[in-house]
Structures are given as structure tokens and as C-alpha cells.
Amino acid sequence: QPFPEMSPLTQEIQVCCETRVEVVKMADEDVPVEDYPSEIAEYLTGFESSLGSVNEMIKTMMSISRSELLQKLDPLEQAKLDLVSAYSLNSLFWIYLVTQGINPKEHAVKQELERIRTYMNKVKEITDRKRAARLDKGAASRFLRNALWEAKSEEPKAAPEGSHQSKRRKRS
């Protein structure tokens, strides 16, 4: 039963996830390989493996309460978690639409994915700004002062005569 404060799209996604659970239960039943064309057997095996991985990740995320998880994260990490969760659910819903023969490019889920992607880019910008090197003005000025340092020029001492004799003989 969807919560009343959920948007219609979120309610659809929840129904999709509940449907996916039923599909996973049905997929657990063994269907003879002979029922499938041989050309898609490898793709189906890969899909089944990926579906199992997604199922394990969802179980892992659902094993910890959301409030408990959010308490352990700083606000930026919380935003990342929310965005990844929303993007993942919408992506699963996109796949569900495709499996039902509905063009997801003409569905509201496309705009939702674009909106989430926009916020993901904003969070990435914030993260990049935090990681950017900051200029230490004192260290920079010391570096430049030492790099541009020139030794005081001392006048060369006069060399004793005959010490720089040429090896060539002068021709007269």
C-alpha cells in the first residue's frame, strides 16, 4: 500500500518494485533451457546473474533502517545516498516499462531521471570544490621568493698570470 504523501510516480515505482519481487520469485522456478532460443541463452544467464546481484544489494540496503544509516553519514553523503537510491529505483522502473512494451522515453520517468541527474551533477560539483587544492598564500610567497633568489654577485678574483696559458702556440 503506497503512502498518501508519495507522488504518483513514486507510487508507480513502489508497485514496480513489488512486481519485481514477484518476478524474482517466478524466476526462481526452473524452466527448461530448451524453452528458450539458443541465441539468447547467454543473455538470459547474464540477466539472471545481474538480477541476483541487484536483489542482494536491495536486501543489504533494506537490512539497515534508513534513519540509522542516515545518522552515520554527513549531509553530503546523505544526499549522495538519496540520489543513488532514487536513480536506481527509477532505472529499475525504466527497465520494467521496457519489459511491458511501454516506451520509457515518452513516460514521466525520463524527466525524473534527468532531474535526479541534474542534482547528482550539483553534488559532484560540491565534492570537487571540497577536493580542490587551496592556495596557501604564505607558502606560495616563500616559494616564489626562494625560486627567484639570486646570489649577490662577487667580483671574480684576479687569476695569477700564466695560470690560463693557452695550449696553442701563437703563430707569428
Side-chain angles (χ1 to χ4, degrees):
Q1 168 88 15
F3 296 106
E5 67 269 2
M6 288 184 178
S7 71
L9 183 59
T10 307
Q11 291 174 358
E12 262 186 84
I13 291 171
Q14 184 178 10
V15 170
C16 169
C17 290
E18 291 168 358
T19 304
R20 194 193 72 64
V21 170
E22 293 301 317
V23 169
V24 170
K25 288 178 184 175
M26 288 172 29
D28 287 340
E29 300 171 7
D30 291 328
V31 177
V33 178
E34 300 88 38
D35 291 349
Y36 299 111
S38 60
E39 298 86 31
I40 65 167
E42 184 177 326
Y43 294 113
L44 288 174
T45 304
F47 178 73
E48 184 179 16
S49 172
S50 297
L51 193 58
S53 298
V54 169
N55 197 24
E56 289 302 313
M57 286 182 212
I58 290 174
K59 283 181 184 177
T60 302
M61 285 191 70
M62 301 303 281
S63 67
I64 302 173
S65 74
R66 181 167 170 71
S67 60
E68 183 181 324
L69 181 61
L70 290 177
Q71 287 175 353
K72 296 178 183 179
L73 301 174
D74 63 35
L76 189 60
E77 294 298 319
Q78 290 176 7
K80 287 180 182 179
L81 176 66
D82 288 341
L83 288 169
V84 167
S85 299
Y87 194 84
S88 300
L89 284 173
N90 281 286
S91 296
L92 286 172
F93 187 66
W94 178 288
I95 294 167
Y96 172 75
L97 290 175
V98 170
T99 62
Q100 299 303 307
I102 300 169
N103 185 358
K105 293 178 183 176
E106 297 172 357
H107 194 276
V109 73
K110 182 176 187 234
Q111 288 81 24
E112 185 67 12
L113 284 167
E114 289 172 356
R115 186 181 72 82
I116 295 168
R117 223 177 277 128
T118 301
Y119 286 113
M120 289 174 115
N121 288 334
K122 287 181 181 180
V123 168
K124 185 179 183 316
E125 288 174 16
I126 292 169
T127 305
D128 290 346
R129 268 190 253 137
K130 276 188 169 184
R131 290 183 185 162
R134 291 192 171 81
L135 179 63
D136 182 355
K137 291 180 182 178
S141 65
R142 288 190 301 273
F143 178 78
L144 288 173
R145 184 182 65 234
N146 291 330
L148 299 174
W149 179 78
E150 292 181 17
K152 293 181 182 177
S153 60
E154 295 181 23
E155 301 219 5
K157 296 180 182 178
E161 286 186 40
S163 65
H164 293 297
Q165 293 179 0
S166 174
K167 292 185 179 178
R168 290 189 218 160
R169 289 186 172 174
K170 293 184 181 179
R171 293 186 183 164
S172 349

